[in-house]
């Protein structure tokens, strides 16, 4: 039981390049989330998917797109990376209903030069 | 504006000393409340959560937290800190009726002196 997995662990991009961060969970959870973590700012929600087939914007969605590929997988895409997107990205999942514990992946450290 | 505040950016305690990390929120209604811990280079792990009922909540690793409605606070405590508790601690809330979207505080970095 791997929980929440993320790939890659590290990535360096040049400004304007694109990439997709992958996330998968094996807990049969309905809801999945993408956060970014920046020093002194805690974690901020980028996008979330309350259930398979639905996605919604979080607090900081600009510059990102997401795809809920199936119940297990939720990917985050940067179409044209900018230095402001340098951050650590975390994927999380939960059973769904409000207040349920979210389980976090190990994170992807992204640097945009 | 609705927010979660962790007033202490850094805290240093000696091993064996007691610990209290502060968390305040500003919402009209009582939200669901959480404390998460993040060890260096790791994801977040849930320590405890409060939904309703008993205002003193027990969590893992010997941590507890007390919800005080009158103070809009949810402070985390531990009677005796261990060196392995050094980490970053995040308070988070979910608004009732707001799905399961977590709003995090900015975190408190705990250093433990041996």
């Amino acid at each position: 039981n791997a929980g929440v997995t993320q790939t890659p662990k590290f990535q360096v991009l040049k400004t304007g390049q694109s990439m997709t961060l992958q996330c998968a969970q094996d807990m049969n959870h309905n809801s999945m989330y993408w956060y970014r973590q920046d020093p002194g700012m805690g974690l901020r929600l980028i996008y979330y998917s309350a259930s398979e087939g639905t996605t919604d914007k979080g607090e900081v969605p600009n510059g990102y797109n997401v795809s809920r590929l199936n119940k297990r997988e939720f990917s985050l895409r940067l179409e044209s990376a900018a230095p402001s997107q340098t951050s650590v990205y975390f994927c999380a999942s939960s059973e769904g209903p409000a207040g349920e514990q979210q389980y976090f992946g190990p994170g992807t450290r992204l640097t945009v030069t | 504006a609705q927010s979660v505040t962790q007033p202490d950016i850094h805290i240093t305690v000696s091993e064996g000393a007691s610990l209290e990390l502060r968390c305040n929120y500003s919402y009209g209604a009582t939200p669901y409340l959480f404390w998460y811990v993040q060890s260096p280079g790791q994801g977040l792990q849930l320590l405890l959560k409060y939904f309703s009922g008993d205002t003193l909540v027990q969590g893992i690793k010997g941590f507890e937290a007390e919800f005080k409605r009158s103070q809009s606070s949810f402070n985390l405590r531990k009677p005796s800190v261990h060196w392995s508790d050094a980490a970053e601690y995040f308070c988070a809330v979910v608004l009732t009726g707001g799905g399961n979207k977590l709003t995090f505080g900015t975190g408190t970095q705990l250093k433990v002196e041996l």
Side-chain angles (χ1 to χ4, degrees):
Chain A
N1 190 339
V4 180
T5 57
Q6 294 182 235
T7 55
K9 287 185 170 26
F10 301 94
Q11 184 71 49
V12 179
L13 291 179
K14 294 187 188 305
T15 297
Q17 288 184 320
S18 63
M19 78 161 296
T20 300
L21 282 63
Q22 305 287 353
C23 173
Q25 52 91 9
D26 62 3
M27 295 173 282
N28 201 35
H29 284 166
N30 291 309
S31 300
M32 297 185 74
Y33 315 82
W34 276 106
Y35 295 89
R36 61 177 288 173
Q37 183 178 28
D38 302 292
M41 303 192 73
L43 280 80
R44 293 178 292 169
L45 183 65
I46 305 171
Y47 271 94
Y48 69 102
S49 172
S51 61
E52 187 179 356
T54 69
T55 61
D56 284 288
K57 295 178 181 179
E59 182 184 353
V60 288
N62 291 345
Y64 305 96
N65 285 300
V66 291
S67 296
R68 183 75 183 266
L69 303 170
N70 47 55
K71 193 171 185 179
R72 289 188 64 249
E73 298 172 289
F74 188 40
S75 63
L76 179 72
R77 183 160 178 84
L78 287 69
E79 291 290 352
S80 179
S84 61
Q85 295 178 303
T86 294
S87 187
V88 181
Y89 291 86
F90 288 98
C91 179
S93 71
S94 71
E95 179 58 35
E100 286 294 319
Q101 175 182 350
Q102 292 186 19
Y103 294 82
F104 285 79
T108 295
R109 185 173 294 275
L110 175 67
T111 301
V112 183
T113 61
Chain B
Q2 299 168 334
S3 64
V4 179
T5 302
Q6 293 181 248
D8 304 304
I9 299 173
H10 298 280
I11 283 185
T12 300
V13 299
S14 299
E15 189 175 37
S18 64
L19 172 70
E20 183 169 26
L21 302 182
R22 296 183 290 165
C23 174
N24 294 93
Y25 64 91
S26 62
Y27 294 96
T30 301
Y32 300 123
L33 297 157
F34 304 79
W35 275 100
Y36 282 85
V37 60
Q38 183 181 31
S39 297
Q42 303 294 315
L44 278 72
Q45 181 184 22
L46 180 71
L47 286 175
L48 47 79
K49 60 184 179 182
Y50 172 79
F51 290 171
S52 64
D54 192 347
T55 57
L56 185 62
V57 180
Q58 301 298 321
I60 63 171
K61 305 185 180 187
F63 285 92
E64 66 179 26
E66 185 172 13
F67 169 61
K68 293 185 176 180
R69 184 188 308 274
S70 62
Q71 299 176 19
S72 296
S73 69
F74 188 56
N75 294 348
L76 182 71
R77 301 195 295 247
K78 187 170 185 178
S80 177
V81 170
H82 188 263
W83 63 267
S84 60
D85 293 324
E88 190 156 21
Y89 292 79
F90 292 95
C91 180
V93 305
V94 169
L95 291 178
T96 52
N100 201 24
K101 294 179 288 183
L102 281 169
T103 298
F104 284 87
T106 52
T108 297
Q109 187 72 46
L110 174 65
K111 180 181 176 182
V112 180
E113 291 183 332
L114 301 177

